[in-house]
Amino acid sequence: MDYAKMAVDMVLKSWNIHVSRATKFFDSKTDEELLKEVAPGKNSLFYLLGHFIAVNDSMIAIFGLGERQYAHLDEAFVNNPDKSGLPMPDAATLRNDWKKSNEILAAYFTKMSPQEWHSRHNSMTDEDYAKEPSRNKLSALLNRTNHISYHLGQMVLVN
Amino acid sequence: MDYAKMAVDMVLKSWNIHVSRATKFFDSKTDEELLKEVAPGKNSLFYLLGHFIAVNDSMIAIFGLGERQYAHLDEAFVNNPDKSGLPMPDAATLRNDWKKSNEILAAYFTKMSPQEWHSRHNSMTDEDYAKEPSRNKLSALLNRTNHISYHLGQMVLVN
């Protein structure tokens, strides 16, 4: 049994399922519907779309894969809550960013070996990793998957 | 590197974090607050508490670990939606079931070897497993973790 590869297959499968679910959800909404909030005064679907793009894109930096393409979304969609008044792209741009950012991540992920997935990421020190090697790039992807799941649960309440 | 053990450590850690978060959340609510719905006409916190107990308890059967202790909750909390009118335990009982069911699961999980975690579960055929060995007991636990995350996202909207 190649346990390293099995672990990567398991987490990547879960990741891909969640990205697909989010994509289907956003695709099913009109631009106007994206402005709906998951609960009164809470995040809009539009905010969560930008939030996903920026949070997921940050893996490129954390994993040391290359240059982030969507860091410009951090201010409005990660560092600040919804309705911050900060400039945001229009819906068409954000929808396109979501598709494109997932293609970019998928292209990087395909090239990563199971050993690379199990290695330390840049938000950890060598000491962190020595103490807890199961905290690695793969577990960071697992956390990002849970993050999508958490907000998906909220998004469906808009239906 | 013991990749089999690393994968188990990674998923169990994520599982334990989510169980703890749910526990903290439910503990912070009065019995009356448990009756609140995550959105108008949607699941109550009380229903989700029973839902978690029953869905998680089913792993005991699916993994072939022993006898389920909370199968009697399936009818009201899994097979039927909230407000079914089916008999439900009182809040004190359900809170105790949640704690106890997590202790039972933790006791089983502690005894499982990494190899056992990576083996086929009872909802899969031998052919399923041969085709996709990363679909195993560990991936079922990962899915149950995502399930908690999904509903936790909804539960916090009640605050």
Side-chain angles (χ1 to χ4, degrees), chain B residues 51-66:
Chain B
H51 182 66
F52 283 159
I53 297 167
V55 167
N56 295 343
D57 178 68
S58 72
M59 283 189 283
I60 293 172
I62 295 168
F63 295 177
L65 298 170

Side-chain angles (χ1 to χ4, degrees), chain B residues 5-152:
Chain B
K5 184 176 179 305
M6 278 171 76
V8 174
D9 288 349
M10 173 181 71
V11 178
L12 266 181
K13 184 181 170 183
S14 181
W15 165 259
N16 287 326
I17 287 172
H18 282 80
V19 168
S20 291
R21 278 187 199 153
T23 301
K24 257 182 216 155
F25 180 90
F26 290 123
D27 284 351
S28 75
K29 300 295 168 199
T30 64
D31 290 355
E32 194 160 64
E33 284 168 338
L34 285 186
L35 301 177
K36 288 191 187 175
E37 298 169 333
V38 298
K42 304 286 184 180
N43 291 327
S44 65
L45 300 175
F46 186 84
Y47 180 85
L48 288 175
L49 177 55
H51 182 66
F52 283 159
I53 297 167
V55 167
N56 295 343
D57 178 68
S58 72
M59 283 189 283
I60 293 172
I62 295 168
F63 295 177
L65 298 170
E67 187 111 22
R68 290 187 58 189
Q69 298 302 308
Y70 300 97
H72 59 282
L73 299 180
D74 285 1
E75 234 3 60
F77 293 101
V78 183
N79 302 336
N80 287 283
D82 201 359
K83 291 110 194 167
S84 63
L86 288 166
M88 287 178 168
D90 62 22
T93 304
L94 212 57
R95 287 180 192 277
N96 191 55
D97 288 353
W98 168 249
K99 299 258 155 84
K100 185 81 189 133
S101 66
N102 286 320
E103 286 166 18
I104 293 170
L105 285 174
Y108 279 124
F109 291 172
T110 302
K111 283 188 226 140
M112 288 169 70
S113 69
Q115 284 64 35
E116 186 172 354
W117 274 112
H118 284 84
S119 66
R120 186 178 69 80
H121 61 66
N122 296 332
S123 305
M124 303 175 69
T125 63
D126 284 332
E127 290 75 41
D128 289 339
Y129 184 69
K131 232 186 291 174
E132 206 179 348
S134 68
R135 242 186 90 198
N136 51 42
K137 290 170 186 159
L138 193 61
S139 71
L141 183 66
L142 184 149
N143 291 340
R144 291 292 193 294
T145 307
N146 277 322
H147 177 247
I148 296 181
S149 192
Y150 182 90
H151 289 300
L152 262 179

Side-chain angles (χ1 to χ4, degrees), chain A residues 11-12 15 55-56 58-64 109 112 116-124 129 132-148, chain B residues 10-11 13-14 146:
Chain A
V11 179
L12 265 181
W15 165 259
V55 167
N56 295 342
S58 72
M59 284 189 282
I60 293 172
I62 296 168
F63 295 176
F109 291 172
M112 288 169 71
E116 186 172 354
W117 274 113
H118 284 85
S119 67
R120 186 178 70 80
H121 61 66
N122 295 333
S123 303
M124 305 174 67
Y129 183 70
E132 205 179 348
S134 67
R135 244 187 90 198
N136 50 43
K137 290 170 186 159
L138 193 60
S139 71
L141 182 66
L142 185 150
N143 291 340
R144 291 292 194 292
T145 306
N146 277 320
H147 176 248
I148 296 180
Chain B
M10 173 181 71
V11 178
K13 184 181 170 183
S14 181
N146 277 322

